[in-house]
Amino acid sequence: MRKKMRNNHIIIGTIALLTIAGCGNNATDKNTSLNDSLNVKVDTAEISSVQNEKADEETTECRNNEMAKVVRLLQSCESSIYNEETGERIDCTTNLEPDYYPYQGETKDCYLVCIGQDGPYTIPKKFAEITTWSASQGHGYVLLFNEKSNTVLLKTEPNDASKTIESFPDPEGIPDCAECLGITGEWYKVDYYGKTGYVRRNESQWGINHSEACGQIR
């Protein structure tokens, strides 16, 4: 009789140990699942961060290569101001006409552009398309100033010995700019109020709009 009871105690003890072990495994599984979930969130954040860094690098590379993204609006449409902090549109609409606008980013359904000093505004993707402008193709503007405060000379030919058409000293305010017509060697070919000439690339700056401020572009 005692032997039978002892065997029963052993069986009950074994079952209890197996149950505890099972609970431990369930807890471990839950912890593993939670850790996996947290890791996914961390990985997603890291991917998002990498994507943002890549976008910044692409923008920098474009500028270094004298290229920039612009948004071509294909038809008139209503646009709202986009709040970059909250990711929501502010209830203030502006009617945009077909034109080219500086690309500032995008959401799932809209491109973000700037107009003057305002914005960014949203343009529905169904009404627009992304295109690339470059100095070599004669897009954008050339700002007639430089960080070295040197006077920029507008020449009749792409060489220093040619005649000077205009000179542009370091501006106190907004610098003069000329329409970019293309690139010839180390010179920009430009149009300055009907005067066609050349300015040195290392003494001026290319951009898609006036003074590199947000604004409508040609």
Side-chain angles (χ1 to χ4, degrees):
M1 182 68 177
R2 287 184 178 178
K3 186 176 180 180
K4 187 175 181 181
M5 290 178 64
R6 184 180 178 185
N7 289 338
N8 288 340
H9 289 158
I10 291 172
I11 293 172
I12 293 171
T14 302
I15 293 172
L17 288 173
L18 290 174
T19 302
I20 292 171
C23 289
N25 288 336
N26 288 338
T28 301
D29 292 342
K30 288 181 180 179
N31 288 336
T32 301
S33 178
L34 178 60
N35 288 337
D36 289 343
S37 177
L38 291 173
N39 287 336
V40 168
K41 290 181 179 179
V42 171
D43 290 344
T44 302
E46 288 177 352
I47 291 171
S48 179
S49 177
V50 169
Q51 289 175 338
N52 289 336
E53 288 177 3
K54 185 176 180 182
D56 291 339
E57 288 174 1
E58 288 177 351
T59 301
T60 301
E61 184 179 355
C62 280
R63 290 199 175 280
N64 291 339
N65 292 331
E66 296 170 309
M67 300 170 62
K69 287 182 179 180
V70 296
V71 177
R72 181 189 177 197
L73 180 59
L74 304 175
Q75 67 179 68
S76 298
C77 73
E78 284 193 348
S79 173
S80 300
I81 294 179
Y82 180 76
N83 188 321
E84 294 180 287
E85 292 184 359
T86 63
E88 298 176 350
R89 300 183 197 180
I90 300 173
D91 190 18
C92 174
T93 59
T94 298
N95 190 58
L96 299 183
E97 298 300 323
D99 209 329
Y100 293 91
Y101 297 88
Y103 173 87
Q104 297 294 306
E106 59 188 273
T107 64
K108 180 181 178 182
D109 301 315
C110 298
Y111 293 120
L112 307 181
V113 303
C114 274
I115 307 171
Q117 297 297 325
D118 298 327
Y121 287 87
T122 61
I123 290 182
K125 288 184 176 179
K126 61 183 179 180
F127 298 141
E129 63 184 14
I130 289 284
T131 186
T132 301
W133 274 12
S134 67
S136 62
Q137 295 298 314
H139 296 129
Y141 294 88
V142 174
L143 308 181
L144 305 173
F145 86 108
N146 55 74
E147 295 177 354
K148 298 179 181 178
S149 300
N150 294 336
T151 296
V152 178
L153 302 178
L154 179 64
K155 295 285 190 174
T156 56
E157 300 294 335
N159 61 71
D160 293 317
S162 63
K163 182 180 177 181
T164 298
I165 302 173
E166 294 276 352
S167 62
F168 304 92
D170 185 45
E172 294 181 1
I174 299 175
D176 285 299
C177 70
E179 289 191 15
C180 181
L181 301 179
I183 292 176
T184 302
E186 295 305 312
W187 299 75
Y188 292 117
K189 184 177 182 180
V190 302
D191 181 284
Y192 181 72
Y193 293 101
K195 299 176 183 178
T196 301
Y198 299 84
V199 294
R200 277 196 167 276
R201 291 168 66 185
N202 62 356
E203 294 181 352
S204 50
Q205 297 180 23
W206 178 83
I208 61 173
N209 49 26
H210 292 265
S211 305
E212 282 294 43
C214 286
Q216 188 169 328
I217 51 183
R218 69 178 179 85

